[in-house]
Structure formats: structure tokens, C-alpha cells
Amino acid sequence: MSIFATTPESQAFGLKAKIYDDELRSRGYVAKFTKDLSVNPEAYVAFEALISAITQNMDLRRYELVTLAAAQALGSAHCRLAHGVKALRAIDEDELVQIARDYHNAGLSPAEVAMMEYAERLSTDAVTMTDADTLDLRDHGFTDREILDITLAAGARNYMSRVLQAIASEVDVPTKLSPQLRGALLAPLAQYGAAAKPRHRDA
């Protein structure tokens, strides 16, 4: 559990209040990790701006697949659950359950599998990556801009997941996730023990 003294919604003002209001509109509540990150609201807003810059010309399905793959590699229950909800905007729940459990056997295209493997490799062994890794994406039909956006999306997920893990932020379990999808998203994280302490939401 994070040691930070966070600001309740009723006491937030200025930039922090805007962050909370935006979260209430999009999520229905203010997640604990949002309150933790809002201890430095300027950094929170800067990260959101970075994500906006990455995704403005990126297919939403592609962004969420890359994000889920990176979060899985990092053992991040925070990001697997949060983006499990967001991925439903672009992926049918039945398909998403299969992807969450094992994307290699979920009927994805070879290009989608390749980019998810790339996101996993970036998240676990970036120091040994070479041009062969990006050339593999090019061989699957991705343009240079698309390769960079995939890389930036995975890199950004590394930033957020590692920060939340390092500060021991509580894991919220959104109620918009069905039990089946929630279980599928958390199942691959069992090896890390990351699924052991999620906090269920009533909102």
C-alpha cells in the first residue's frame, strides 16, 4: 500500500481537481493510483499528454494490444485491469478474454502477435534488442512510424507500470470488468504474485 498522503476528492483544487473530475467522468470514480500519481499533478498531466501524442494516429486496437502485452510482461495488475476495460472499446469481450489468457492462441494475425512479442521483449530484455527486432516488425508490414508508435506505447507502459509498482499503489478492480475477463487478465500474472491484492470497486 502506498505511503503517500493523498487528497480526497472534496479537498482537491486547481489542476488536481481537474484530474479528479476527468477521472470521475471517464471511470466513474477516482482510482487510488490516480490519487497517488496526483501528488505530482504536473507529471500526471505530462504523461497523459505523451499518451495522447502517441495514440493520435495509432489504431486503438493496436495500442491496447501492445499495452496489455507490456503490462503482462511487467506483471502489472494495475495496467492489465485498467486497460482491460479500455480495450473493450476496440475488442469484443469474448475475443479479449482469449487474448488476455494467451494471445499466441487467440486467433490474432501474425502481425499482431509479432508486435505483442516485441512489446514483451522491450519490457523484459530491452538491453539485448537489435535492429533485427524492429526489422521483424517491418517484415510484418509495419511502417517506420507504426514501429516507433508501438515502441513508444510499450515504453510508456513500462514507465507507468514500474512507477505504480515501486510506490506500492493499491490495485483497483473496476466493476465494469466481468468476472470472466477479470480472471483472464490476471491469470498470466499469477507467477508474479501480482494478482493477490486487488481492491474491488463498488463504483
Side-chain angles (χ1 to χ4, degrees):
M1 184 173 180
S2 168
I3 65 169
F4 296 157
T6 59
T7 305
E9 289 94 321
S10 61
Q11 297 177 22
F13 63 91
L15 183 56
K16 189 174 296 187
K18 183 181 184 305
I19 291 169
Y20 284 13
D21 287 345
D22 289 346
E23 180 104 331
L24 281 167
R25 281 194 295 272
S26 64
R27 195 188 299 273
Y29 62 92
V30 182
K32 182 62 171 68
F33 63 79
T34 299
K35 292 182 179 179
D36 286 335
L37 294 171
S38 294
V39 170
N40 183 340
E42 292 81 11
Y44 181 97
V45 170
F47 177 77
E48 291 298 306
L50 172 62
I51 295 300
S52 178
I54 293 169
T55 58
Q56 62 181 343
N57 293 308
M58 190 177 187
D59 176 74
L60 178 59
R61 175 186 172 93
R62 181 177 297 171
Y63 172 72
E64 294 299 345
L65 289 176
V66 168
T67 297
L68 289 171
Q72 178 174 320
L74 294 161
S76 174
H78 300 92
C79 294
R80 287 281 286 184
L81 292 170
H83 282 273
V85 173
K86 293 180 179 182
L88 289 170
R89 297 175 296 173
I91 305 171
D92 174 82
E93 180 167 340
D94 289 339
E95 182 185 14
L96 186 55
V97 167
Q98 297 303 313
I99 293 168
R101 289 197 178 278
D102 180 7
Y103 70 82
H104 288 99
N105 294 292
L108 298 178
S109 68
E112 288 179 326
V113 171
M115 72 178 184
M116 293 182 77
E117 289 178 338
Y118 178 88
E120 280 199 286
R121 182 156 161 70
L122 181 154
S123 302
T124 57
D125 194 26
V127 69
T128 66
M129 293 180 79
T130 69
D131 59 351
D133 294 285
T134 45
L135 285 172
D136 181 60
L137 291 184
R138 181 179 287 172
D139 289 343
H140 279 89
F142 294 106
T143 66
D144 287 357
R145 172 62 185 262
E146 289 170 335
I147 292 170
L148 180 58
D149 286 347
I150 289 168
T151 305
L152 290 170
R157 192 49 40 197
N158 272 253
Y159 163 81
M160 182 54 68
S161 294
R162 293 180 189 279
V163 166
L164 294 177
Q165 289 167 336
I167 65 174
S169 189
E170 284 187 53
V171 178
D172 285 301
V173 179
T175 56
K176 291 181 181 179
L177 285 176
S178 68
Q180 183 183 22
L181 181 54
R182 181 175 68 243
L185 290 161
L186 293 176
L189 309 188
Q191 60 180 310
Y192 305 108
K197 300 179 181 178
R199 182 168 70 111
H200 290 263
R201 267 288 174 186
D202 296 325

